[in-house]
Amino acid sequence: MARGVVDARRGQPVTAPPLLTAEAVERVYRLGREVEVHALRGVSFTVDRGDYVAIMGSSGSGKSTLLNLLGALDRPTSGHVRYDGRDVADMGDPELAELRNRRIGFVFQSFHLLPRLTALDNVALPLVYRGGTPRSRRQAALEALTAVGLADRLDHRPGELSGGQQQRVAIARALVTDPALLLADEPTGNLDTTTGDDIMELLERLQVDHGTALVVITHEAQIARRADRTIELRDGLLVPEVPA
Amino acid sequence: MSAREAIRVALQALLSNRLRSALTTLGVLIGVMSVVLLVSIGQGARTEITGAIEGLGSNLLFVLPGDGDFGAGPTRSRFTTDDIERIDRQLPGELPRVAGSTVGAESLQADGQRFNATVQAVTAGYTSVLNRELGRGQPFSESDVVTSRRTAVLGATTAEELFAGQDPIGRQFSIAGIQFRVVGVLTRVGGEASPFGPDQDRTVLVPVTTGQRLFGTDRIDSIFVRASSTETIDVDRSTTERVLGERLDEDEFSVVSQDEIIGVVGDILSILTTVLGAIAGISLLVGGVGVSNIMLVSVSERTREIGLRKALGARTRDITVQFLLEAVALTVLGGIIGLGLGIGGAALVAAFAPVPAEVTWWSIALALGTSVGVGIVFGVLPARRAGQLDPVEALRRD
């Protein structure tokens, strides 16, 4: 999808700052009084509207830390994470919550569905923090579930769904708020290869259809290869970007 | 998140763990129930006792032995029938204005029916001074008193127990083996025994002279003076005090008005009610601690849910409010059920126990207010803890 169309739809001027920038991001964890773990040692990159980026790295490379920072769940020790040019460090709790609610859709490895809610209510959950009538929320959730091919599973609870179906519900939940960025953390990690491929195809289709930026965090080169761009992390630093 | 939405989410969470919610709310339920029940009993006792005193009519002065200190032990009376006559002579207006009574418990018998009643040896003016109405027959006369005749006026319950529906007028019965003849029956007043008199329906009135002989005394326990009006009550009181003072020491008698008695009794019963309520309040407190405890467990169990909700856009405030509402919903639920059981219990007590019980609007308001308060006070700590969870840590937890 051409970027111009996206910009027009979102009403963004063409000169708008990039969707997401990371500038010399460092994250240090303090374990006890003496020990410091440098999970990220200065990482910079940009994700623009409609981009499809894979962040790759082995376990311990700092990719979970990076995911938390990109998802505005955490703040860097130094450096800047900016959304639409605004530094996450300058935002208070309500603003961060709103940013996560309106701009970011999370897809987790372990789905993170609430077991006592139906698929429809799980998908509608982010809309609860946004106002609107229950009726409009149900309508939006229904559309999102239809988009991921689960229109016939609305009243099922997560326990009654297969892993692939649960991840589809989670994707619908990420999508229902019409976010600018889909942030997928090892989305196929708990699935078999065939189901994993289906999920990746679904994410890619939605990325194109909705003009959403898609950032996939993975340790599998095979998954990373599907993206337009791969950012590789090693010991908290970027390996120079490899064009696809 | 809208308030309605927050309430819905809170109720959903409670319903998904029904047994635990029920057990947690039990503490608050029992607390509220005991507050409502005990306060009702205290309040009922107060209403009943003040009612019994008021039922004697206003403008009444009570002459009691002793210096009038309610804390002091019982004092032996030194009043005699002479005192009654001397006071009556000094008071203006229509006679009799003064009556006296001496009380004893005796066993009554009629036609094989036995009944234990309070026997009151009273002066002829007793029923008129104390506003007691007769349903049938006549009060005994001055000549009955003078000649120590064995006549009696029965309380309504006494009449029923002894004569089981038959007309008791003119019938014979015995008090401690001595034969008496029924001349009148008092109308039913209802109510119970109080510190200021026996259950008025379970009494027998006999002429004071006859009664004194029966009890083996020449004393009068208490004297009642009816003032002619509210305005003259103070004048009548000083007259009474002056007349008695001629013969008795100042600390051997005291003259108190009905209002003073109601005031003192009311104070005592208020303290009683407060103490009962406070004791019940302790169980409410314990219930609150239980709520706090379970909410903390719930927060720790739902750490992942909290992390997820934050990732999906919940503010710290949304999470705090959600858990606070859960705590309040728990305690209010317990409060409402406890209130229902308390009101039901009060009704049962009033119906079957000799203790009166009266549910007041303020005890209901207090119970519901307290249960909301307990929810907030004991919910704040777990709710704040939930709201402040770090989403990164919370999501990582498995």
Side-chain angles (χ1 to χ4, degrees):
Chain A
M1 182 180 274
R3 184 167 307 165
V5 178
V6 178
D7 290 344
R9 202 170 66 111
R10 295 194 181 278
Q12 300 279 0
V14 180
T15 53
L19 173 64
L20 170 63
T21 52
E23 277 174 44
V25 168
E26 289 187 31
R27 183 68 172 91
V28 181
Y29 292 107
R30 251 171 249 282
L31 308 174
R33 202 169 297 170
E34 303 284 310
V35 189
E36 286 186 348
V37 176
H38 293 258
L40 292 176
R41 300 157 181 270
V43 172
S44 303
F45 62 92
T46 301
V47 177
D48 225 321
R49 292 168 182 78
D51 279 2
Y52 179 9
V53 182
I55 295 175
M56 211 191 122
S58 55
S59 138
S61 60
K63 59 185 195 310
S64 297
T65 306
L66 187 57
L67 167 94
N68 293 332
L69 292 169
L70 298 185
L73 295 169
D74 193 11
R75 293 190 181 97
T77 311
S78 69
H80 304 278
V81 174
R82 294 183 210 275
Y83 268 89
D84 307 308
R86 279 204 64 196
D87 197 331
V88 166
D90 297 337
M91 300 187 194
D93 172 75
E95 286 170 289
L96 285 175
E98 190 178 335
L99 173 68
R100 295 194 286 259
N101 186 247
R102 297 195 176 259
R103 302 294 274 159
I104 307 169
F106 287 93
V107 177
F108 302 97
Q109 177 176 358
S110 50
F111 323 136
H112 281 312
L113 299 174
L114 294 187
R116 60 172 193 271
L117 299 188
T118 62
L120 193 70
D121 286 341
N122 263 297
V123 173
L125 196 56
L127 298 178
V128 165
Y129 297 105
R130 192 185 260 216
T133 63
R135 194 188 167 80
S136 70
R137 291 202 295 266
R138 285 181 69 85
Q139 185 57 37
L142 178 65
E143 281 167 20
L145 273 171
T146 309
V148 300
L150 284 178
D152 56 342
R153 294 284 188 276
L154 305 181
D155 295 323
H156 287 58
R157 283 170 214 280
E160 300 159 354
L161 298 171
S162 70
Q165 287 171 330
Q166 290 187 51
Q167 193 60 300
R168 282 169 188 271
V169 173
I171 291 170
R173 180 181 64 195
L175 199 70
V176 76
T177 57
D178 198 18
L181 171 68
L182 270 177
L183 203 52
D185 179 20
E186 303 273 9
T188 63
N190 283 12
L191 304 172
D192 62 64
T193 316
T194 323
T195 316
D197 284 345
D198 290 345
I199 290 297
M200 287 313 295
E201 276 164 29
L202 174 63
L203 283 171
E204 286 157 7
R205 181 164 60 74
L206 295 171
Q207 183 246 337
V208 173
D209 288 356
H210 292 253
T212 313
L214 174 60
V215 172
V216 177
I217 290 165
T218 182
H219 68 280
E220 289 177 78
Q222 207 178 322
I223 301 285
R225 226 173 288 134
R226 304 172 69 114
D228 298 335
R229 198 150 54 98
T230 301
I231 295 168
E232 199 181 337
L233 271 175
R234 197 173 294 161
D235 299 327
L237 285 168
L238 286 193
V239 179
E241 288 192 22
V242 195
Chain B
M1 184 156 53
S2 72
R4 218 173 106 186
E5 196 62 39
I7 290 169
R8 201 179 59 85
V9 170
L11 290 180
Q12 218 167 40
L14 295 180
L15 284 178
S16 71
N17 225 325
R18 285 194 182 85
L19 180 62
R20 180 197 286 182
S21 304
L23 289 175
T24 308
T25 202
L26 201 59
V28 177
L29 188 155
I30 291 171
V32 169
M33 184 182 76
S34 15
V35 169
V36 171
L37 189 58
L38 292 180
V39 168
S40 313
I41 289 174
Q43 193 62 28
R46 183 196 169 105
T47 307
E48 180 135 327
I49 292 171
T50 50
I53 298 167
E54 279 169 357
L56 300 173
S58 54
N59 303 344
L60 202 59
L61 291 168
F62 299 79
V63 185
L64 304 169
D67 61 4
D69 182 354
F70 281 90
T75 315
R76 272 191 70 83
S77 164
R78 292 195 55 211
F79 308 145
T80 64
T81 45
D82 277 356
D83 293 325
I84 295 171
E85 279 165 31
R86 286 192 303 125
I87 298 166
D88 220 350
R89 274 200 298 274
Q90 294 298 315
L91 292 175
E94 203 179 315
L95 300 178
R97 297 272 304 279
V98 188
S101 132
T102 288
V103 177
E106 298 291 348
S107 172
L108 314 185
Q109 199 169 351
D111 299 341
Q113 299 290 321
R114 295 184 74 88
F115 184 64
N116 289 314
T118 309
V119 177
Q120 286 182 275
V122 299
T123 55
Y126 182 83
T127 48
S128 66
V129 170
L130 278 100
N131 270 356
R132 300 300 315 278
E133 285 174 13
L134 270 75
R136 338 175 52 108
Q138 297 295 323
F140 36 77
S141 62
E142 193 62 45
S143 76
D144 285 349
V145 173
V146 172
T147 60
S148 300
R149 209 161 283 158
R150 296 201 291 265
T151 51
V153 172
L154 304 183
T157 306
T158 313
E160 259 168 40
E161 293 288 333
L162 284 179
F163 298 107
Q166 298 164 28
D167 185 358
I169 302 296
R171 304 271 303 252
Q172 298 279 326
F173 72 103
S174 68
I175 301 175
I178 299 164
Q179 290 293 313
F180 280 78
R181 187 169 54 85
V182 180
V183 294
V185 178
L186 295 167
T187 51
R188 184 173 291 282
V189 289
E192 313 280 338
S194 78
F196 296 93
D199 178 346
Q200 293 297 311
D201 293 327
R202 300 172 76 89
T203 57
V204 179
L205 306 183
V206 298
V208 62
T209 45
T210 322
Q212 281 177 333
R213 196 174 298 163
L214 194 69
F215 302 145
T217 179
D218 56 356
R219 301 298 178 196
I220 291 289
D221 288 342
S222 31
I223 296 172
F224 309 94
V225 179
R226 172 161 304 284
S228 47
S229 72
T230 323
E231 287 74 41
T232 62
I233 197 160
D234 286 333
V235 179
D236 292 343
R237 177 205 290 252
S238 45
T239 306
T240 306
E241 282 171 343
R242 180 172 50 76
V243 172
L244 284 172
E246 289 165 6
R247 201 177 68 78
L248 300 172
D249 286 341
E250 207 174 276
D251 62 353
E252 286 181 317
F253 69 94
S254 48
V255 182
V256 291
S257 70
Q258 186 190 22
D259 283 350
E260 287 166 345
I261 292 182
I262 289 175
V264 171
V265 170
D267 285 351
I268 293 170
L269 291 172
S270 290
I271 293 168
L272 179 76
T273 305
T274 309
V275 169
L276 286 177
I279 291 169
I282 291 172
S283 59
L284 202 54
L285 205 67
V286 174
V289 173
V291 169
S292 209
N293 193 14
I294 287 299
M295 288 307 296
L296 282 173
V297 171
S298 178
V299 169
S300 124
E301 274 179 0
R302 284 152 67 193
T303 301
R304 265 165 52 118
E305 174 188 333
I306 294 164
L308 174 73
R309 285 181 182 272
K310 284 199 157 183
L312 297 183
R315 292 167 297 174
T316 296
R317 217 184 119 232
D318 293 322
I319 301 290
T320 309
V321 167
Q322 179 190 332
F323 277 86
L324 195 56
L325 271 174
E326 269 182 46
V328 171
L330 266 180
T331 56
V332 167
L333 189 73
I336 290 172
I337 299 175
L339 181 64
L341 291 178
I343 291 174
L348 279 180
V349 166
F352 295 111
V355 195
E358 180 184 303
V359 178
T360 56
W361 67 267
W362 64 264
S363 72
I364 294 175
L366 183 76
L368 289 182
T370 320
S371 54
V372 172
V374 164
I376 291 173
V377 167
F378 290 96
V380 155
L381 173 76
R384 288 178 66 98
R385 185 168 286 191
Q388 280 160 4
L389 276 180
D390 176 5
V392 173
E393 290 297 320
L395 280 170
R396 192 182 296 158
R397 185 92 78 84
D398 275 305

